[in-house]
Amino acid sequence: MNRRQILVGSAATLALPALIGRAAAQDGPLNVGFVYVGPIGDYGWSHAHDEARKKAQEHFGDKIKTNYVENVAEGPDAERVIRQLAQQGNKLIFTTSFGFMNSTIKVAKQFPDVHFEHATGYKTADNVGIYNARFYEGRAVIGTIAGMMSKSGKAGYVGSVPIPEVVRGINAFTLAAQKVNPDFTTQVVWVNSWYDPAKEADAAKALIDQGCDIISQHTDSPAPLQAAEQRGVYAFGQASNMIDFAPKAHLTAITDNWGPYYIDQIQKQLDGEWEPGNIWWGIEKGLVGIAPYNDIMPADVKEAADKVKNGIASGEIHPFSGPITDQSGEVKVPEGDTIPDEQLLGLDWYVKGVQS
Amino acid sequence: MRLRLEPRREASRAMLYGTPVLAVALTVLAGILIFSLMGYDGLAAIYQIFVAPIADPYRWQDLFVKAAPLITIALGLAIGFRANVWNIGAEGQYIVGALAGTGVALATWDMEGYWILPAMVAAGILGGLLWAAIPAFLKTRFNVNEILTSLMLTYVAVQLLYYLMRGPWRDPEGYGFPQTRLFSEWQTLPTVVQGTLVHLGVPVAFFLAIAVWIVLSRTVTGFQVRIVGLAPQAARYGGFSARGTVWLTLLTSGAFAGLAGIFEAAGPFQQMTPQFSVNYGFTAIIVAFLGRLHPLGIVLAGMVLAVSYVGGENAQTALGLPYAATGMFQAMMLFFLLAVDILVRYRLRVVVPADLSRPAEARHPHIRQADEGSRTSSTPLDKQRESLSA
Amino acid sequence: MTLVGAATPILLAALGELVVEKSGVLNLGLEGMMLIGAVTAFGVTFTTGSASLGLVAAMAAGAAASMIFAFLTLTLTANQVATGLALTIFGIGLSSLIGQNFVGRTVSGLEHIFPAALADDPIGRVVFGYSPLVYLSLVMTAFVAWFLTRSRAGLILRAIGESDEAAHSIGYSVIRVRYLAVAFGGAMAGLGGAYYSLVMTPMWADRLTAGRGWIALALVVFASWRPLRLLGGAYLFGAVMTLELHAKAAGINIVPPEFLAMLPYLATIVVLTLISIAPSGRRNAAPACLGKPFRATG
C-alpha cells in the first residue's frame, strides 16, 4: 500500500471530484494564460511580461485571447492559479518567475494536452518548455559604456539576490568595462530584495558616497536611477527604458522584450507545431534590447557600445571569452576559451575587479 | 426624525448570527457599486468572487487547502482573544514552526521511515509554541504588552527565514536560488482524498475546530478562559490565575500556528522558500473576528476568505479585475463586519424628536446611564461571548 | 544624507502614531495610511504639477483613511487590532488601484526651500540641502513634544490615554479627543508616505513603502512614547537600516544583513521590557488605556 493513500479510505466521504482530465473544450480563439509574480504595476519584471502579452494580443488580434493573473505568490498559490488557468481552457500557459518552476511541472503532469512555458527555470517535461534571456549580453554593452564614461573607474552595482542570473550580469558588466579600462572595479551592494524602492535608492546613494560615479542595478525599481540623477552621476535603466525618471543620469537601459518570443510560441501553438524548447535568446533575437542612448554620450562611446552590441548579435564577441581571472587571481578561463552555457547557468564566482 | 442606538438588555442571538450575513451582504452591495464605478461589470465580478468558486466542484479542493491554515491559526488566536490575550504575532509563530519542522526535514533528508513526518510536525508545534512563549514570558514576568512583542517577533521571524534560506539551508543543488531542497516522500504530508490536493491539514483543521468548541464550552479550562476575559476580578476570586491563562492561551495559539506552518510547508509547499510568509497569521486574525471567535464561525469564516481569494483569481482571468480589488474587497468585508457588530449589543431605533430645545442628556437620560455601565471589561465581544457559551 | 532619508518618513509617521497612542488608541493601519498618502501625493502632484498641493492632499487622504478606523473603533467600539489590520489591507489595495494610472510616471518632486547657493554647496548642503519635509519633521517633533507636555489640550489628551473613565467623569469628551488624535495620526502617516513618492523616489509603484509602516510602529514603542526619544530613535533606526548598505559599499562585510534587519524589532522588545522593569517604568510605559475601547455618547 502506498504511503500516500493510507488515509484515502477514511476520508473518502469528502468525495471530491478528481482533478485530472477536465479542460474546457473550446472553439474560437486560442486561450493563452500568463502568471506573474508581481503586480503589473511594479514597473519591472512583471510589467515587462505584461507589455509583451499586450503586444502578442495586438499581433494576433481576435485569433487569441490572453488571460493573466498578477501578484501570484510562489508556492501553492501559484500551483492553484496555473491549474485554474489550465482548467479554464488556456492551451498555452506562460509562468514567468523562477519560483513557479515546481508548480508548473506538477500541474503539467495533470494536463498533458496543455503546453507550458516556464521562464528562467531548469526543469522541463514533454509539455513544459523553458525560456530565458541572455541579459548578460546587455550587461556587456552597458559595461562598455561604463568603462568609458566613468572617471573614477569605479562602478556601483545595486544587486538583488546572488543567484547565477545576477552574478552573470555583474561579471559581464565588469569584464566589458575592463576591456576599456583594465583597472575598472565594480562595487556590489546587495539589497536582498527585487523590489524595495527606498532601500534600492539608499544603496545607490551609499555607493555614490564611496566614490562610484556610475550606477548599475539588478533590481526592479527606477529608484537607484533617481538617486543617481539627484547626485549627478550616471546610471542605467532596468527592464524598460527609464529615461523619464532620470533624463540626465540615464545613459541607456537593458530592456526585456519578451514580445517576440511570446508571438513566436503562440504562432507555433496556433499552427500545432509547439514543442518543448530550451531557449536562451539574447540580443541577436531581440529578447534583450538596448534603449536609445542618451544624447550626452559622446559619439565614440555610442560607437563602441554599438560595436559590442553588434558583435554580440553576430556572434563575433562573447562576453565571457578568456582570459578571465577570478577574485583570487586564479585564471578560470584561458585565452581563446569561453565559458560554456552549462557553466554559465550555475555561475557562482566573481571575476577580478568585483568587490562584493 | 433620526436614528439612534439603544443598548440591548442582552446580546441579540438573532443579530449574533445575522450580522455576519448582513456584513457579507453589505460587502456584496458595496462591491457591485465600486466595481461598477471602476468600469467593470459589478454583478459579474461579485459572481466570480463569491459564487463561481463554490459553484465549481473542481475548485472545492482549493478552498479547503486555502482555508485549512487560516482556520487552524484562527482557532488558536480565538482562544486567546476570548481571554483578552492579544497574540497578533501568529505569522511569526507560523514561520518559526515551519522552520523548526524544516530543520528536522533537512536533518533527515536522506533517511527513510514513518517517524520522520511526525517528528517534523512535533518540531513545528514546538517551534510555534516556543516563539509564543517569549511574549508569554515577558507578559507574565514583566507585564510587557503582548500585542507589541508578538508583532515585533513576527518581523524577527521573517528575517530568520530569509537568513536560513539565503545562507545555511540553501539547496546545494538549487543553482544558488534561496530555497531549501524539496522534501522527500517521507517528509511530505499525505493527501487524504486521492487525486486531489486535499492534505492531512484539512481534516485536522476541522477536527481542531470541534475539539476547541468542546473544550471552550464544556470544560473548566474553557470556562477559565472565558471568565478571565469577561471579568478578571471575578476570575481571581474564583481561583483562576490570570498568569496561567496568559501562558495557556499564548502557548496554545503559538502551537496551533506552528502546526499550520509545518503542515503548509510539508503539504502544499513541500519545501521551504523565502516566499513562505504570505500573511496567513494576520489574515487569521480577520478570520477569528469574522467567525465571532467561535470555532464553528471560524470554520465558516475561513471558507469565506478562501472563496474570496480563489474568486479573486477568477475575477482576474474572467474580467481583468486587478488583484488589488480583491484585497480592498476583503478589507471592506471586515469593515462591515466590525461595523454591524454593534447591532448585537445595540438596537437601531428611529426616533421622532419631541422637543429639540432640551439638551440631549435630559432627553434621553437612560443613554448616559447605560453607557456608563456598558464598559465592562475591554472587548466589544464580551456580551456575545456570554450568549455564545450559553 | 541617506540616514536622514531613511529616518524622516518613519519619524513623520511615528509622530502621528505617538499622539494616537498617547490618547489611548492603537492604530495598526499605519502602513495602509502611508500608502494612501504616498499615492495621493504622487497623483495630485502629477496631475496639478504642484508638490505642495500633493503634500496637503496626502495629509487629507491619510486623515480620511484614518476616519474609517476612528468611526469603527471609537463610535462603534470595534476591536482596534482587527480594524487597524483591515485598514492596512484596505490601504494596500486602494493605493494600488489608484496608482494604476501613475505607474511608470515621474514628477520633479519637492523643491528645496533654501536657495541653491546654500543647498547645493558641498558644505552648505549638510545643513540646508535636505527636503523641506526633513525640516518639517524636526519642527513637528518639537511641536508634538511641546503639545504633549506643555499645552492644556495635550494634558487632556494624555489624561484620556491614561484613564478615559476618569477624564470622562470630569467632563472631557473622550471620543472627540480621540477622533482628533486619530485624524492627526492619519495626516502624519500620509505625510510620511508622501516622503517616499515625492522625495525619496519621485514615482509611484505598488507597495512603495515596503513595510516601513511597521518599523514606524515599532519606533513609537522603542521611544517609549516620548517625542524626543522618537527623534533619536528614528535616526538610530535609520542608521541601522542604512549602515549595512554603507558598509557593503565600502567593501566591508559585517554580520549577515538579516540580523541587522532584525535589530530594530529586537531593540524595541528590549526597550519595552526595560521600561516595564524600571522602577520609574510606570511613567514611561504604555498609556494605560492603549487599545481598549470606550463608549460614552452622553
Side-chain angles (χ1 to χ4, degrees):
Chain A
M1 190 184 202
N2 185 317
R3 178 179 163 272
R4 307 202 116 262
Q5 297 171 356
I6 293 167
L7 288 151
V8 170
S10 59
T13 41
L14 279 169
L16 287 174
L19 56 86
I20 301 168
R22 169 185 175 260
Q26 56 172 5
D27 296 311
L30 169 72
N31 272 293
V32 183
F34 292 82
V35 187
Y36 306 136
V37 69
I40 53 177
D42 68 359
Y43 208 63
W45 183 256
S46 295
H47 183 80
H49 283 285
D50 198 55
E51 291 297 306
R53 175 190 66 83
K54 286 185 198 157
K55 280 205 185 103
Q57 181 71 67
E58 209 174 291
H59 178 86
F60 290 105
D62 53 12
K63 275 196 279 184
I64 65 165
K65 180 176 181 298
T66 57
N67 308 291
Y68 70 89
V69 183
E70 59 176 329
N71 209 37
V72 177
E74 295 171 350
D77 283 345
E79 191 179 325
R80 181 180 64 246
V81 168
I82 298 166
R83 187 159 36 76
Q84 188 169 349
L85 284 170
Q87 281 177 345
Q88 285 173 344
N90 293 281
K91 290 294 173 200
L92 180 62
I93 298 172
F94 294 90
T95 56
T96 64
S97 175
F98 172 80
F100 296 156
M101 182 168 67
N102 293 325
S103 308
T104 306
I105 296 288
K106 262 195 241 174
V107 178
K109 273 190 198 139
Q110 297 159 357
F111 294 90
D113 59 339
V114 176
H115 297 149
F116 297 84
E117 286 276 341
H118 176 242
T120 73
Y122 53 82
K123 291 186 184 168
T124 54
D126 284 346
N127 57 340
V128 181
I130 51 176
Y131 63 103
N132 200 351
R134 294 181 189 266
F135 293 114
Y136 67 86
E137 295 183 350
R139 300 275 165 194
V141 178
I142 65 169
T144 307
I145 299 170
M148 295 177 81
M149 296 295 284
S150 168
K151 290 190 182 71
S152 65
K154 194 175 170 194
Y157 207 107
V158 180
S160 47
V161 190
I163 54 171
E165 161 80 48
V166 181
V167 173
R168 279 195 299 270
I170 293 169
N171 285 338
F173 174 85
T174 309
L175 287 172
Q178 284 170 346
K179 295 226 166 70
V180 184
N181 173 3
D183 297 328
F184 194 89
T185 59
T186 303
Q187 179 66 53
V188 186
V189 169
W190 300 104
V191 292
N192 282 316
S193 168
W194 290 97
Y195 177 76
D196 183 340
K199 200 170 178 190
E200 292 169 50
D202 280 345
K205 287 173 191 165
L207 285 162
I208 297 165
D209 285 348
Q210 288 299 325
C212 300
D213 61 357
I214 197 153
I215 298 291
S216 181
Q217 66 178 91
H218 204 138
T219 50
D220 276 350
S221 89
L225 206 57
Q226 289 181 320
E229 179 89 357
Q230 284 169 10
R231 293 291 181 85
V233 303
Y234 296 125
F236 301 99
Q238 163 88 357
S240 54
N241 187 353
M242 293 181 167
I243 182 90
D244 288 347
F245 287 97
K248 287 189 290 235
H250 184 280
L251 294 178
T252 180
I254 300 173
T255 57
D256 305 1
N257 309 326
W258 302 102
Y261 182 69
Y262 288 165
I263 289 170
D264 195 63
Q265 293 302 299
I266 293 170
Q267 187 63 54
K268 284 186 180 147
Q269 176 74 28
L270 284 168
D271 298 343
E273 286 167 6
W274 184 92
E275 279 177 357
N278 179 353
I279 268 118
W280 203 12
W281 288 355
I283 288 178
E284 185 206 345
K285 298 265 196 175
L287 215 54
V288 177
I290 301 294
Y293 300 127
N294 195 318
D295 288 337
I296 52 180
M297 272 166 61
D300 62 324
V301 180
K302 290 181 186 170
E303 210 173 293
D306 274 337
K307 210 176 139 199
V308 173
K309 187 172 86 174
N310 297 333
I312 289 172
S314 68
E316 279 165 48
I317 297 177
H318 191 292
F320 289 105
S321 54
I324 301 174
T325 47
D326 69 4
Q327 280 171 314
S328 66
E330 186 194 336
V331 177
K332 285 286 220 186
V333 184
E335 183 146 15
D337 276 10
T338 55
I339 305 181
D341 278 0
E342 313 83 80
Q343 280 177 36
L344 278 181
L345 280 170
L347 200 68
D348 60 356
W349 51 270
Y350 297 99
V351 302
K352 192 159 168 274
V354 174
Q355 283 140 19
S356 71
Chain B
M1 198 187 86
R2 49 183 279 198
L3 294 172
R4 187 157 56 85
L5 287 169
E6 271 180 19
R8 297 176 191 273
R9 215 164 314 156
E10 58 186 70
S12 158
R13 266 191 106 76
M15 279 299 165
L16 185 63
Y17 298 114
T19 47
V21 178
L22 180 63
V24 171
L26 284 172
T27 312
V28 165
L29 285 178
I32 292 176
L33 187 73
I34 290 174
F35 295 148
S36 300
L37 285 177
M38 282 166 55
Y40 297 94
D41 181 347
L43 262 177
I46 294 297
Y47 175 83
Q48 290 296 340
I49 293 177
F50 264 144
V51 185
I54 305 172
D56 182 355
Y58 291 89
R59 291 271 84 84
W60 291 353
Q61 51 172 339
D62 293 328
L63 300 181
F64 284 121
V65 169
K66 189 82 186 169
L70 293 174
I71 293 171
T72 306
I73 302 172
L75 285 170
L77 293 179
I79 301 173
F81 291 173
R82 282 174 169 238
N84 269 327
V85 178
W86 297 99
N87 174 10
I88 63 168
E91 181 72 7
Q93 294 138 24
Y94 167 81
I95 293 170
V96 173
L99 284 176
T102 303
V104 172
L106 293 181
T108 60
W109 71 274
D110 53 352
M111 298 183 204
E112 289 182 3
Y114 287 106
W115 56 273
I116 294 177
L117 188 63
M120 284 166 60
V121 172
I125 294 173
L126 200 66
L129 184 140
L130 287 176
W131 206 245
I134 303 171
F137 172 75
L138 294 173
K139 171 82 175 179
T140 51
R141 182 80 177 75
F142 304 118
N143 198 28
V144 183
N145 185 330
E146 78 280 8
I147 298 182
L148 301 169
T149 47
S150 60
L151 178 65
M152 298 300 132
L153 282 169
T154 294
Y155 295 96
V156 177
V158 169
Q159 293 301 329
L160 187 66
L161 167 70
Y162 289 169
Y163 169 71
L164 290 171
M165 292 305 107
R166 290 175 195 143
W169 286 6
R170 198 170 52 182
D171 180 0
E173 284 132 40
Y175 287 87
F177 281 91
Q179 56 187 30
T180 68
R181 59 173 85 245
L182 283 172
F183 292 172
S184 73
E185 196 198 340
W186 299 99
Q187 297 170 334
T188 44
L189 220 51
T191 51
V192 290
V193 184
Q194 205 176 4
T196 72
L197 302 166
V198 178
H199 57 78
L200 189 60
V202 175
V204 167
F206 285 88
F207 167 78
L208 283 176
I210 294 166
V212 169
W213 187 25
I214 292 171
V215 167
L216 281 178
S217 58
R218 297 277 178 268
T219 68
V220 178
T221 310
F223 180 67
Q224 174 186 348
V225 166
R226 290 204 316 270
I227 201 78
V228 168
L230 285 171
Q233 286 180 343
R236 218 165 301 145
Y237 285 123
F240 294 126
S241 139
R243 279 188 179 190
T245 310
V246 170
W247 275 110
L248 177 77
T249 55
L250 269 171
L251 293 189
T252 308
S253 52
F256 276 44
L259 178 69
I262 188 58
F263 273 179
E264 201 64 8
F269 274 89
Q270 305 197 350
Q271 73 185 132
M272 186 48 80
T273 83
Q275 288 81 28
F276 185 74
S277 169
V278 285
N279 289 343
Y280 279 160
F282 290 111
T283 312
I285 296 175
I286 293 178
V287 170
F289 275 93
L290 205 58
R292 299 301 164 113
L293 307 185
H294 189 286
L296 301 188
I298 285 169
V299 169
L300 267 178
M303 293 304 290
V304 168
L305 259 265
V307 167
S308 73
Y309 278 119
V310 174
E313 290 152 12
N314 274 345
Q316 272 194 57
T317 50
L319 304 169
L321 192 74
Y323 87 98
T326 314
M328 233 178 67
F329 193 71
Q330 285 166 349
M332 256 171 24
M333 187 156 67
L334 188 68
F335 283 153
F336 280 120
L337 181 95
L338 291 162
V340 298
D341 191 49
I342 198 163
L343 294 175
V344 177
R345 289 162 296 127
Y346 291 81
R347 176 193 314 279
L348 202 59
R349 269 274 163 86
V350 178
V351 190
V352 182
D355 182 0
L356 285 170
S357 63
R358 278 193 295 155
E361 215 166 286
R363 251 184 359 243
H364 310 296
H366 60 280
I367 293 186
R368 170 101 202 191
Q369 232 175 349
D371 289 338
E372 293 292 313
S374 72
R375 170 84 184 278
T376 48
S377 64
S378 41
T379 83
L381 291 149
D382 300 338
K383 287 276 168 62
Q384 73 216 38
R385 277 183 210 144
E386 245 163 333
S387 67
L388 269 173
S389 52
Chain C
M1 295 284 270
T2 49
L3 167 63
V4 176
T8 300
I10 57 171
L11 174 60
L12 285 167
L15 276 171
E17 180 69 12
L18 185 141
V19 171
V20 176
E21 292 189 13
K22 270 290 184 189
S23 79
V25 179
L26 179 66
N27 184 354
L28 295 182
L30 266 188
E31 177 82 0
M33 298 190 296
M34 285 175 84
L35 279 169
I36 290 174
V39 74
T40 309
F42 187 86
V44 170
T45 307
F46 182 78
T47 315
T48 65
S50 161
S52 326
L53 214 57
L55 283 184
V56 173
M59 292 175 74
S66 77
M67 284 300 99
I68 303 175
F69 174 85
F71 177 71
L72 287 170
T73 59
L74 302 177
T75 303
L76 302 181
T77 62
N79 179 273
Q80 295 179 6
V81 169
T83 312
L85 289 174
L87 184 59
T88 290
I89 300 173
F90 181 75
I92 291 171
L94 183 66
S95 62
S96 169
L97 282 181
I98 298 175
Q100 279 179 342
N101 301 321
F102 304 123
V103 169
R105 307 292 176 84
T106 184
V107 294
S108 58
L110 273 183
E111 301 281 326
H112 286 298
I113 40 174
F114 294 105
L118 285 173
D120 293 342
D121 183 78
I123 300 162
R125 72 177 191 149
V126 177
V127 179
F128 301 107
Y130 302 106
S131 157
L133 281 181
V134 172
Y135 305 104
L136 182 65
S137 72
L138 300 178
V139 171
M140 287 308 291
T141 308
F143 168 75
V144 169
W146 169 83
F147 172 80
L148 286 176
T149 53
R150 296 277 181 274
S151 78
R152 196 178 127 73
L155 293 179
I156 296 171
L157 180 128
R158 278 166 54 203
I160 285 171
E162 287 303 328
S163 174
D164 44 16
E165 278 170 31
H168 175 73
S169 66
I170 52 172
Y172 294 124
S173 172
V174 174
I175 300 297
R176 192 193 309 160
V177 170
R178 286 185 174 168
Y179 255 98
L180 291 171
V182 170
F184 176 75
M188 293 299 284
L191 208 52
Y195 190 92
Y196 290 106
S197 63
L198 291 186
V199 181
M200 179 89 83
T201 55
M203 62 164 187
W204 170 256
D206 265 39
R207 305 203 188 168
L208 188 67
T209 56
R212 299 298 191 287
W214 300 105
I215 295 187
L217 206 66
L219 178 59
V220 177
V221 183
F222 178 78
S224 48
W225 294 271
R226 295 188 147 194
L228 294 181
R229 287 190 194 169
L230 197 67
L231 180 66
Y235 280 76
L236 196 63
F237 278 26
V240 171
M241 285 152 68
T242 53
L243 172 71
E244 183 238 342
L245 301 175
H246 281 279
K248 265 287 190 189
I252 307 163
N253 280 312
I254 37 177
V255 296
E258 294 85 3
F259 289 101
L260 272 177
M262 283 178 196
L263 219 52
Y265 303 107
L266 287 174
T268 300
I269 295 172
V270 170
V271 167
L272 198 56
T273 309
L274 287 179
I275 58 176
S276 303
I277 299 172
S280 62
R282 250 337 287 140
R283 245 185 356 179
N284 299 330
C289 292
L290 188 62
K292 295 175 181 167
F294 175 79
R295 173 146 197 96
T297 48

